Structure formats: structure tokens, C-alpha cells
Amino acid sequence: MSEISFDDFLKVDIRVGTVIDAQDFPEARRPALKLWVDFGPDIGTKKTSAQITKYYTPEKLIGRQVAGVINFPKKQVGPFMSEFLCLGFPDGADDKGIVLIKPDQEVPNGSRLF
């Protein structure tokens, strides 16, 4: 990996939000969920598709805070338009399950990572 400057890092807008809706996404090529996340009054609600079904169900996600990159361009995922990238780490297993990032204490929706 090449080094980046702090100014490069600041270009990536990573915010926290609360999942307000989550649904199965059977039309996706790989198992995935559709998420709607409230990023607070300044940003609003954004939606995304996430391949996180190994550890998460829609019911487990409602009310959970997640981190996401909100300034990537929108991306069409099958019949669904993804508006942000939900962030997580691979679990290290062969099937590459994803473990989502969340603050260890609740913070205001829309708070920026720095």
C-alpha cells in the first residue's frame, strides 16, 4: 500500500448512522441484505446493499449503529441503488464473513470518523 496524506484521508467521509430498516435481498448475486440507515438530520437516510448474511439478519440490525462511507458515487446493484458503503472487516474464514464496525458507545447519527 502506498502512503496517503491526511488531506487524502479527509476526502473519505465516514459517518455513523442507525439502521432503521433491513430486508433480505434475494435478487442479489451473492447473499445480501438491503439496509436503510439514518445518518442524522444533515445527511438523512441512505440505503445500501451489504453482503453480511453470515452474522446478521434484518431483525438483528434494526437499531444498530453502523459506519459507512457516504461520499462514494451511487452504485446500481441489480434492481437496487446503493447510496453508501457499509464498513466491516473480514472474519478470516474461507467464506469471508463480514463483521460490521460500530462504536462501542452510542454516538449521534451523522458523527464523522476522525
Side-chain angles (χ1 to χ4, degrees):
M1 284 261 166
S2 61
E3 289 186 358
I4 64 170
S5 70
F6 187 70
D7 288 338
D8 290 332
F9 171 73
L10 290 176
K11 292 177 185 175
V12 182
D13 194 357
I14 301 172
R15 304 287 181 129
V16 68
T18 300
V19 178
I20 58 171
D21 192 12
Q23 300 174 11
D24 291 321
F25 188 9
E27 302 90 355
R29 275 189 254 145
R30 292 189 197 163
L33 298 175
K34 296 186 279 188
L35 307 178
W36 286 262
V37 176
D38 175 8
F39 286 102
D42 293 339
I43 299 164
T45 299
K46 290 186 173 277
K47 60 186 178 177
T48 193
S49 166
Q51 296 172 1
I52 56 172
T53 58
K54 180 175 180 179
Y55 295 112
Y56 306 99
T57 62
E59 299 78 26
K60 284 176 72 173
L61 290 167
I62 304 294
R64 177 193 172 101
Q65 287 196 305
V66 296
V69 177
I70 64 162
N71 65 334
F72 282 155
K74 294 178 182 178
K75 181 178 180 181
Q76 190 73 42
V77 181
F80 189 75
M81 183 63 73
S82 186
E83 299 173 333
F84 78 96
L85 175 66
C86 194
L87 298 174
F89 293 104
D91 66 2
D94 289 339
D95 60 0
K96 298 180 180 156
I98 300 298
V99 178
L100 294 174
I101 296 172
K102 74 171 189 171
D104 64 0
Q105 295 183 34
E106 192 168 313
V107 297
N109 287 339
S111 293
R112 185 171 183 167
L113 178 75
F114 63 92

